Structures are given as structure tokens and as C-alpha cells.
Amino acid sequence: GARAVLEYQLFYRARYAEDAFASCQGVRLPATGGYAIATMCGRYGAQLCNAQRWLDFQGDKSNGLAPLQIEFQLLPDASEPG
């Protein structure tokens, strides 16, 4: 029979996730003047959104946008050499 991917896990370094979130956090929608992140963080809105909550909403197939369930795992940042 046919096989399909229904969900998967995605692993990001915490710093990468935080930087990606920070790059979107201040973006405003021209039509409303509100923050775009407010619509990208589900029930948390712009005020309570953080990198993990933002990614969790992006990967939640019940949001009407994600094609499948994605579980984002944030890994501790790698130690910088000496």
C-alpha cells in the first residue's frame, strides 16, 4: 500500500529558533498596523509569544495552515570552543 508522512520532529538549536523568532517579532501588517506574530502564535498572541510557542503553532495541523503535524524540538546551544 501507499505510505505517507503524517507527522515528524524537527530539531533546531535554541539560538537559531530565538534568532528566527526575533527577526519576525517586530514585523507589522500594513493593513492593520498590528504585529504579524500575533496571528502566528495562536492563543498566545503577540504579547506572550516566544520562539517555542511560535514554532508550536506553525507545526500544529489544527491551525489550518500546516500540511502535517510538526513537533519542534529546541536543542541546547553548542558550546563555543575555548
Side-chain angles (χ1 to χ4, degrees), residues 2 9 12 16-17 21 25 28 38-39 55 57 59 65 72-73 76:
Q9 290 181 315
Y12 279 168
Y16 177 83
F21 173 71
Q25 194 172 16
R28 290 186 179 265
T39 62
L55 291 171
F57 182 76
L65 302 170
F72 289 90
Q73 298 287 329

Side-chain angles (χ1 to χ4, degrees), residues 36-66:
I37 204 83
T39 62
M40 300 168 64
C41 208
R43 68 181 186 261
Y44 295 105
Q47 292 286 355
L48 299 175
C49 198
N50 61 32
Q52 184 69 64
R53 290 172 175 171
W54 176 61
L55 291 171
D56 287 346
F57 182 76
Q58 301 309 305
D60 185 351
K61 67 181 181 181
S62 70
N63 71 13
L65 302 170

Side-chain angles (χ1 to χ4, degrees), residues 7-21:
E7 62 182 82
Y8 67 95
Q9 290 181 315
L10 186 59
F11 295 85
Y12 279 168
R13 290 280 179 204
R15 177 65 184 266
Y16 177 83
E18 294 290 342
D19 287 350
F21 173 71

